[in-house]
């Protein structure tokens, strides 16, 4: 066990001051939106998640001011709000970029090249995990899973999919974002800024022309198993290297490998 020497200086630090309030005009606007959100739920505390998105849409992250605002309107303690805001990775705790670039480094994406993409972007952008470029455009992070294994390796920008990426394509992507060029996701709605995305996640409609119609469903890779099960795609029978087994008779419509 180690002890502090009697003559050592011990700094207890100053208690943190209460979070400042929003400017009056900002608070009035946020309160109007917050009341609309709260009115959707039979119990007000159920509105906490969308309210955190709302304050994130204002500042680009969930600040102490934003958490105090949520606590006040929902009659919660700041500790209760902080516990939720720190649990979910979708809520940022510090200022971040206009575009959150998330690289999946979970098992399948990593094997397919996700680790290489993440390393290439760190070097290309000059930032580490959860760090933002000097111009404030891009925040880079690794993500455990983007739920798009059929299209590995996957990169997400503000929760929109960019499938089947490579280190080179990912570097072009972030360069286009930083240069202000229009970037089109592989599927789904057109890209918007992180603050705009947060407001949509708060439950407010995406009013951009054609944005709702552009949202798509699963791609061909995701539907391959379903089409196979429904018999819409011929089955492929791949024989073991040591020869076919008598019980491995191909079913109706099956195609032998090599035919």
């Amino acid at each position: 066990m180690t002890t502090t020497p009697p003559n050592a200086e011990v700094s207890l630090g100053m208690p943190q001051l209460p979070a400042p309030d929003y400017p009056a005009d900002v608070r009035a606007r946020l309160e109007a939106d917050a009341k609309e959100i709260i009115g959707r739920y039979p119990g007000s505390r159920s509105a906490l998640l969308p309210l955190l998105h709302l304050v994130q849409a204002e500042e680009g992250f969930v600040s102490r001011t934003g958490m105090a605002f949520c606590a006040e309107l929902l009659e919660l303690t700041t500790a209760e709000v902080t516990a939720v805001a720190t649990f979910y990775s979708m809520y940022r705790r510090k200022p971040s970029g206009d575009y959150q670039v998330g690289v999946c480094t979970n098992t399948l994406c990593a094997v397919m090249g996700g680790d290489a993409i993440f390393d290439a972007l760190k070097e290309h952008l000059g930032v580490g995990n959860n760090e933002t470029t000097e111009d404030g455009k891009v925040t880079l992070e690794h993500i455990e899973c983007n739920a798009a294994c059929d299209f590995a390796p996957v990169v997400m920008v503000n929760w929109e999919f960019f499938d089947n990426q490579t280190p080179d394509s990912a570097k072009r992507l972030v360069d286009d974002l930083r240069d202000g060029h229009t970037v089109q996701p592989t599927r789904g709605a057109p890209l918007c800024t992180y603050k705009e995305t947060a407001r949509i996640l708060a439950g407010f409609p995406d009013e951009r022309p054609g944005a709702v119609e552009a949202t798509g469903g699963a791609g061909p890779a995701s539907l391959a198993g379903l089409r196979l099960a429904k018999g819409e795609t011929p089955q492929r029978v791949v024989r073991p290297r040591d020869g076919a087994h008598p019980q491995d008779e191909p079913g109706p419509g099956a195609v032998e490998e090599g035919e």
Side-chain angles (χ1 to χ4, degrees):
M1 182 178 71
T2 60
T3 59
T4 303
N7 59 346
E9 182 178 346
V10 178
S11 177
L12 300 179
M14 291 294 293
Q16 196 171 35
L17 296 174
D21 200 357
Y22 287 116
D25 59 330
V26 174
R27 183 181 176 91
R29 174 165 45 78
L30 289 177
E31 279 189 355
D33 288 339
K35 289 177 181 178
E36 180 178 340
I37 292 172
I38 295 171
R40 302 170 187 161
Y41 300 91
S44 62
R45 68 181 300 148
S46 298
L48 178 54
L49 294 181
L51 275 191
L52 287 170
H53 283 300
L54 176 66
V55 297
Q56 188 159 250
E58 183 63 33
E59 300 181 82
F61 71 110
V62 178
S63 66
R64 292 175 57 237
T65 296
M67 287 190 283
F69 173 82
C70 294
E72 179 184 342
L73 265 65
L74 299 178
E75 298 182 351
L76 300 173
T77 66
T78 53
E80 289 174 311
V81 175
T82 301
V84 174
T86 56
F87 181 82
Y88 294 102
S89 61
M90 66 182 74
Y91 300 121
R92 312 298 176 190
R93 296 298 310 282
K94 61 181 181 180
S96 55
D98 293 334
Y99 300 99
Q100 303 284 327
V101 177
V103 182
C104 183
T105 56
N106 211 333
T107 306
L108 182 57
C109 276
V111 170
M112 297 295 288
D115 284 341
I117 291 173
F118 189 57
D119 290 341
L121 289 182
K122 285 193 294 184
E123 181 179 358
H124 185 66
L125 295 172
V127 298
N129 185 43
N130 282 324
E131 293 182 354
T132 303
T133 54
E134 292 183 357
D135 58 9
K137 293 291 186 180
V138 171
T139 297
L140 179 67
E141 64 172 342
H142 79 83
I143 296 178
E144 286 303 317
C145 184
N146 281 330
C149 301
D150 298 338
F151 302 94
V154 174
V155 173
M156 294 193 85
V157 180
N158 295 349
W159 311 119
E160 298 295 347
F161 288 103
F162 291 80
D163 302 324
N164 302 310
Q165 293 294 295
T166 66
D168 287 340
S169 68
K171 286 190 286 187
R172 288 194 299 271
L173 169 62
V174 296
D175 286 346
D176 285 343
L177 292 172
R178 299 182 72 183
D179 291 340
H181 298 314
T182 299
V183 174
Q184 185 65 37
T186 307
R187 49 202 165 95
L191 199 62
C192 58
T193 67
Y194 189 64
K195 288 183 180 181
E196 291 169 332
T197 302
R199 183 169 177 82
I200 295 169
L201 291 174
F204 293 96
D206 188 345
E207 298 179 348
R208 294 174 298 160
V212 175
E213 292 77 10
T215 56
S222 301
L223 300 175
L226 176 62
R227 289 173 176 157
L228 182 65
K230 295 171 68 174
E232 297 175 1
T233 302
Q235 299 180 25
R236 294 176 61 197
V237 178
V238 181
R239 296 298 184 185
R241 291 184 178 180
D242 58 354
H245 297 287
Q247 67 271 23
D248 292 338
E249 293 298 328
V255 176
E256 292 275 4
E257 185 69 20
E259 289 185 2

